[in-house]
Amino acid sequence: MSRMNGDQGLMMHWAFDEGSGASALESVSQVRDEIQSVFNQAAFTEWSGPQWRQGVSGSGLLFDGYSTAIVHPVHEEETGGGQKPLSAHSIGVWVAPRSYDLGHEGKLTAIVNRHNMERKQGYLLGLFRHGSWSFQVGLEGGEWKELWSPDGYELPKNEWSYVNAVFDGNGGELKLYLNGSEIASTDLPRGSIIAEAAGTELLIGKNNHSSLLAGVFSLQMFSGILDELKIYNRALSAEEVAASYRQVLDSGHGGARPQVPYDEIRLDRTPLLSDRHRPQYHLSPPAHWMNEPHAPVYFDGQYHLFYQHNPLGPFFYHIHWGHWVSKDLVHWRDLPVALAPDKDQLAPDGIWSGSATYDADGLPVLFFTAGNDSASPNQSVALARSTYSQDGDPDLVKWIKHPEPLIVQKKGMGAFGDFRDPFVWKDEDGWYALVGSGIEGGGGAALAFESQDMLNWTYKGSFFEADIQQFPYLGPIWELPVFLPLGSDKQGVSKYLLLVSPVGKGADVEVFYWIGQLDKHNLSFLPDQEEPQLIDVGDFHFTGPSGMVDPKTGRNIIFTIAQGDRTSELEYQSGWAHNGGLPLSVYLREDGRLGIEPVQELQSLRGEKRLSFRDKSLAEANDLLKAVQGDMLEIQLELERGSARQLGIKVRCTPDGEEETLLYYDFNEAMLLVDRTKTTLHPLERCRGIQGGKLELSGENLKLHIYLDRSMVEAYANGLKSLTTRVYPSRKDALGLEIWGDGEPLIKSMEIWNMQSIW
């Protein structure tokens, strides 16, 4: 890009035209700055370095929101060239934010800064909550001055904006320009000088004094694309700012403000596809953090599923609703964030879990937990509608929030301050909602509401609560209630499934369920038995339930989160945290128990059939298994006990047995178990010990349906229970299989397929 008027007074200029590599040239000093990025090291994947994208002129640099930054060494000639230091200062930069920071501790997300606010030194140009932005300077004499963008001049996400900040100490002015026009100014004492922030680095994309989360993650880091960053030691005039803006528009964009194609700025899963621990046929966000997948809904030939998501990095922080879409429940596409915190009084602080249903016209609607920390309680139930009736978009990309919360917790309505995760369904009589909460002084509860119009709701009391004295592991609060019809039992009685996820002191964070009946008149649930049951007997790797009745097939389908069970340090190094479990079909069996099985559509992922045999001894089977290696496999196995007391299969084995994970059944204890004592040698990985739970086989052979997907291991036993766990072997040759038992079992049958990535 050519220099305006020779760019008189230009101190620093990053054109970001490299387009690849891990350094950026500052063209005035000819210093090549290293670009920090987690993928410069790439602990578990191939080296990819920082990400480059199309800029306003040439390329631009994409900042990932948690690890990308530039540190530029500052020399004396760059602080004023021997004149009075920084009596005038101007910054111009093209900015395309992807996400906004929560604004933790009131700190700005730095675009560029060299400051020490405590000492009132230096300067800071950055973003704040919901796209507001500010230029701040420390003046000699000990004053800190801030100039903020006015309402209506926020920097929009996923769009280019040209930002200028001008400090004119001699003229006594501080000014902000947006897209070539002045939007704010404030007076300064004439002769003001920016106090030198001695000993402070010039940082691009990272705040000099960022907050630290979990001892690992620096907050207030820029997320989005930057291009053409220029810093001057003079005050640019309004005419120069406007001309610089017009030059970019006229030079390659036909006079219009350049656009940012979504594919250029979206989170990109490509660098993670080669991560040796990241599942490849399980649901996952493109990158960064997820927790519960939720709000499944089927519409116009497609399944939609949303998820709790922090787009800034792989840590729990600023929660949005991510969005996937699929035609078959197996192959999913990433769509833009569906719901984000906005500058309003509805949900400025977080968009937390909820559900989906249909309005009176049959169009999908989203019910979500609105986070507003200025309200008490800070959680309420809110609604968003798709723009389908206006744009006909089958992907349902755009959603508009109803401006007011629909259900606000009042005193006496459950445990005050805990009120979240609405589950909403519709029938011929209206809409019904369950909200997770508890009973004051008691245990967890699902609270019931009903509505005739989906907007005005009546509280009906507790839908169901359990005896916390009898079942203390159910905890004081329930989250994520899910209620699904199971059809009629053999006596013709209509049965239903209620799922909850306990949290709080003493809670066992698992997915518990009851089968029972619905008292529709009182809107309450009557369980067949008081004691809750588990679907999954793994250790908190199957949590965060959501569910739907599939209009296409009539099945009940459940989605869960498979938590990663890793340290914050490992999640930082990996660039991702957590993924979804496989979608499950749940149904009422002939014997009255809950049946579970992965959806049949998963068979479409089968590749080469690696092995198939029947009626082999343990030695014969293991001899055949020597030919099979893999970390993306589907295994179906039936084992006849014989004289064995314990029987199962080792997966992810190294050839010498140094690392291995054992899935097995203990016939004496009637327990389905996983032994991870030899899973990994990595000192920081947490996968350790033996986990499991009760499974009554009632004399049946052990039938295991196992899915291996890199760090994911899911075992479904006899259609009754699952065991979900995580494994992170340190050795890359941990790919073997071995059937194991302490007697002489018979391997009745075994089939193994390679599985394909869905991405």
Side-chain angles (χ1 to χ4, degrees):
M1 183 176 176
S2 62
R3 292 185 177 180
M4 296 286 298
N5 300 327
D7 272 337
Q8 178 188 352
L10 184 66
M11 297 159 54
M12 288 168 262
H13 176 203
W14 290 267
F16 297 122
D17 283 340
E18 286 78 6
S20 64
S23 65
L25 177 67
E26 192 290 290
S27 60
V28 175
S29 65
Q30 290 294 299
V31 168
R32 188 161 285 281
D33 297 314
E34 178 194 357
I35 304 169
Q36 298 175 353
S37 166
V38 67
F39 293 124
N40 289 349
Q41 288 75 42
F44 305 104
T45 188
E46 297 171 359
W47 185 94
S48 60
Q51 296 186 340
W52 297 85
R53 293 293 184 266
Q54 178 182 316
V56 296
S57 175
S59 63
L61 181 61
L62 179 62
F63 290 71
D64 65 8
Y66 87 101
S67 80
T68 312
I70 293 175
V71 181
H72 178 70
V74 178
H75 305 292
E76 181 185 346
E77 64 270 16
E78 293 177 313
T79 64
Q83 309 165 15
K84 276 191 171 183
L86 295 178
S87 60
H89 196 53
S90 299
I91 301 172
V93 60
W94 284 88
V95 179
R98 181 167 63 195
S99 304
Y100 307 137
D101 191 85
L102 181 61
H104 184 64
E105 297 184 329
K107 296 178 181 178
L108 288 180
T109 295
I111 297 171
V112 60
N113 67 140
R114 184 176 180 241
H115 85 286
N116 187 322
M117 190 184 296
E118 190 175 308
R119 296 178 181 172
K120 298 180 172 56
Q121 295 172 341
Y123 61 90
L124 166 62
L125 174 64
L127 274 161
F128 197 55
R129 290 163 57 93
H130 314 308
S132 61
W133 55 288
S134 178
F135 184 47
Q136 306 182 0
V137 295
L139 303 181
E140 287 192 354
E143 186 177 4
W144 185 260
K145 294 289 288 187
E146 300 182 0
L147 181 59
W148 286 82
S149 60
D151 286 348
Y153 291 92
E154 294 80 14
L155 301 182
K157 284 185 283 192
N158 306 325
E159 293 182 23
W160 281 116
S161 297
Y162 185 47
V163 168
N164 288 82
V166 176
F167 168 79
D168 183 356
N170 295 329
E173 286 185 311
L174 199 59
K175 293 188 175 186
L176 297 182
Y177 295 83
L178 179 61
N179 297 325
S181 299
E182 182 181 324
I183 61 165
S185 66
T186 189
D187 292 337
L188 304 170
R190 288 183 178 272
S192 292
I193 294 172
I194 296 178
E196 171 75 4
T200 302
E201 298 171 317
L202 187 151
L203 299 182
I204 301 170
K206 182 178 181 179
N207 191 302
N208 284 119
H209 303 280
S210 59
S211 307
L212 199 63
L213 187 71
V216 175
F217 296 100
S218 294
L219 304 181
Q220 298 97 26
M221 292 188 67
F222 183 72
S223 171
I225 310 174
L226 296 182
D227 198 12
E228 293 296 338
L229 170 59
K230 294 183 176 184
I231 301 177
Y232 298 81
N233 63 5
R234 66 183 183 88
L236 296 181
S237 68
E239 293 76 17
E240 287 176 310
V241 170
S244 184
Y245 175 63
R246 292 299 320 172
Q247 185 193 36
V248 168
L249 268 57
D250 295 339
S251 64
H253 303 283
R257 187 147 56 99
Q259 299 300 302
V260 183
Y262 175 66
D263 283 349
E264 287 291 308
I265 199 169
R266 64 180 171 85
L267 282 174
D268 181 10
R269 67 173 59 247
T270 307
L272 299 176
L273 292 177
S274 58
D275 185 309
R276 61 192 182 90
H277 295 312
R278 191 169 207 226
Q280 296 301 308
Y281 60 86
H282 284 72
L283 276 166
S284 61
H288 298 356
W289 169 277
M290 72 166 282
N291 42 304
E292 296 94 23
H294 55 247
V297 67
Y298 183 77
F299 180 71
D300 198 18
Q302 297 193 115
Y303 297 93
H304 295 262
L305 186 62
F306 303 85
Y307 58 96
Q308 298 279 262
H309 180 44
N310 174 24
L312 292 168
F315 53 98
F316 181 77
Y317 183 53
H318 196 25
I319 298 301
H320 299 53
W321 273 33
H323 186 186
W324 300 295
V325 67
S326 172
K327 293 186 181 297
D328 62 1
L329 287 171
V330 176
H331 300 86
W332 298 84
R333 288 187 290 119
D334 297 312
L335 294 179
V337 164
L339 298 175
D342 284 320
K343 192 174 185 177
D344 55 31
Q345 286 304 303
L346 178 68
D349 299 298
I351 308 286
W352 302 330
S353 286
S355 62
T357 188
Y358 303 96
D359 66 13
D361 297 321
L363 297 179
V365 288
L366 304 180
F367 284 84
F368 62 94
T369 308
N372 182 356
D373 291 340
S374 67
S376 180
N378 69 343
Q379 306 152 42
S380 62
V381 175
L383 169 75
R385 299 177 186 268
S386 84
T387 58
Y388 181 82
S389 58
Q390 289 85 48
D391 57 29
D393 176 15
D395 283 348
L396 307 180
V397 168
K398 294 181 180 177
W399 297 83
I400 297 174
K401 298 171 195 159
H402 188 74
E404 302 291 333
L406 301 187
I407 308 175
V408 177
Q409 187 183 30
K410 299 179 175 63
K411 292 281 188 180
M413 189 185 285
F416 194 73
D418 286 289
F419 190 76
R420 51 190 174 270
D421 310 333
F423 180 84
V424 182
W425 74 96
K426 177 183 182 291
D427 69 13
E428 64 277 3
D429 296 321
W431 289 265
Y432 305 89
L434 302 182
V435 180
S437 187
I439 302 300
E440 290 287 358
L447 309 181
F449 300 82
E450 67 177 5
S451 173
Q452 292 299 303
D453 61 2
M454 202 179 68
L455 298 178
N456 298 282
W457 292 84
T458 301
Y459 178 48
K460 301 295 287 184
S462 174
F463 184 73
F464 181 64
E465 59 196 71
D467 185 344
I468 194 172
Q469 303 302 321
Q470 189 175 0
F471 309 110
Y473 54 83
L474 287 176
I477 300 297
W478 290 349
E479 294 184 332
L480 302 157
V482 176
F483 186 65
L484 298 170
L486 290 174
S488 299
D489 65 10
K490 288 192 291 188
Q491 286 72 43
V493 178
S494 294
K495 293 298 177 76
Y496 293 82
L497 174 68
L498 176 65
L499 303 167
V500 301
S501 183
V503 294
K505 186 176 180 181
D508 190 357
V509 184
E510 308 278 2
V511 178
F512 290 94
Y513 75 87
W514 296 264
I515 294 173
Q517 298 178 54
L518 170 66
D519 177 350
K520 191 171 177 182
H521 177 72
N522 293 306
L523 201 53
S524 63
F525 177 70
L526 308 171
D528 291 349
Q529 58 186 52
E530 289 186 43
E531 185 175 3
Q533 304 295 310
L534 287 170
I535 289 177
D536 191 276
V537 296
D539 189 16
F540 69 83
H541 300 295
F542 178 101
T543 55
S546 60
M548 68 180 292
V549 178
D550 180 5
K552 187 176 176 183
T553 62
R555 294 171 298 180
N556 289 304
I557 299 174
I558 288 175
F559 299 89
T560 57
I561 176 183
Q563 297 194 45
D565 192 23
R566 304 183 89 179
T567 65
S568 294
E569 182 179 345
L570 288 172
E571 287 171 342
Y572 181 98
Q573 293 173 10
S574 301
W576 62 277
H578 316 313
N579 52 268
L582 293 175
L584 300 184
S585 172
V586 296
Y587 55 95
L588 190 65
R589 291 166 45 118
E590 284 289 314
D591 61 10
R593 292 191 286 179
L594 186 69
I596 65 164
E597 60 185 24
V599 296
Q600 290 185 343
E601 288 91 334
L602 291 164
Q603 294 178 15
S604 67
L605 295 177
R606 290 174 178 171
E608 177 191 357
K609 195 167 196 177
R610 301 292 302 277
L611 197 64
S612 178
F613 63 78
R614 299 185 65 83
D615 298 324
K616 299 290 183 184
S617 69
L618 189 64
E620 289 171 330
N622 282 330
D623 193 51
L624 291 169
L625 277 175
K626 290 176 183 176
V628 181
Q629 301 261 304
D631 60 2
M632 289 175 61
L633 300 173
E634 179 188 355
I635 303 166
Q636 288 190 331
L637 176 64
E638 182 176 348
L639 301 169
E640 187 176 288
R641 174 182 181 180
S643 61
R645 291 168 300 171
Q646 295 181 329
L647 186 57
I649 182 172
K650 295 178 180 180
V651 300
R652 303 301 308 273
C653 308
T654 56
D656 58 5
E658 188 178 35
E659 291 186 337
E660 62 185 27
T661 297
L662 172 62
L663 294 161
Y664 68 104
Y665 186 76
D666 187 312
F667 288 91
N668 291 347
E669 300 293 330
M671 298 271 284
L672 180 64
L673 299 153
V674 60
D675 184 341
R676 298 190 300 170
T677 55
K678 293 176 67 179
T679 289
T680 185
L681 298 172
H682 194 295
L684 294 182
E685 297 288 6
R686 288 172 168 165
C687 42
R688 301 281 188 268
I690 299 174
Q691 291 87 34
K694 282 287 184 182
L695 168 62
E696 297 290 348
L697 287 185
S698 305
E700 292 182 19
N701 288 339
L702 177 64
K703 300 173 183 175
L704 294 176
H705 193 175
I706 300 168
Y707 290 88
L708 303 184
D709 191 4
R710 296 194 177 162
S711 64
M712 282 291 294
V713 178
E714 286 166 89
Y716 298 89
N718 293 65
L720 285 166
K721 296 287 182 189
S722 63
L723 192 157
T724 303
T725 194
R726 301 303 290 239
V727 299
Y728 301 94
S730 67
R731 287 175 50 175
K732 294 180 181 179
D733 61 349
L735 300 170
L737 302 169
E738 180 187 342
I739 299 175
W740 173 89
D742 62 359
E744 290 298 326
L746 177 66
I747 290 71
K748 291 290 293 179
S749 65
M750 188 172 195
E751 293 181 287
I752 304 176
W753 294 266
N754 286 340
M755 292 290 274
Q756 302 170 67
S757 172
I758 64 174
W759 307 109

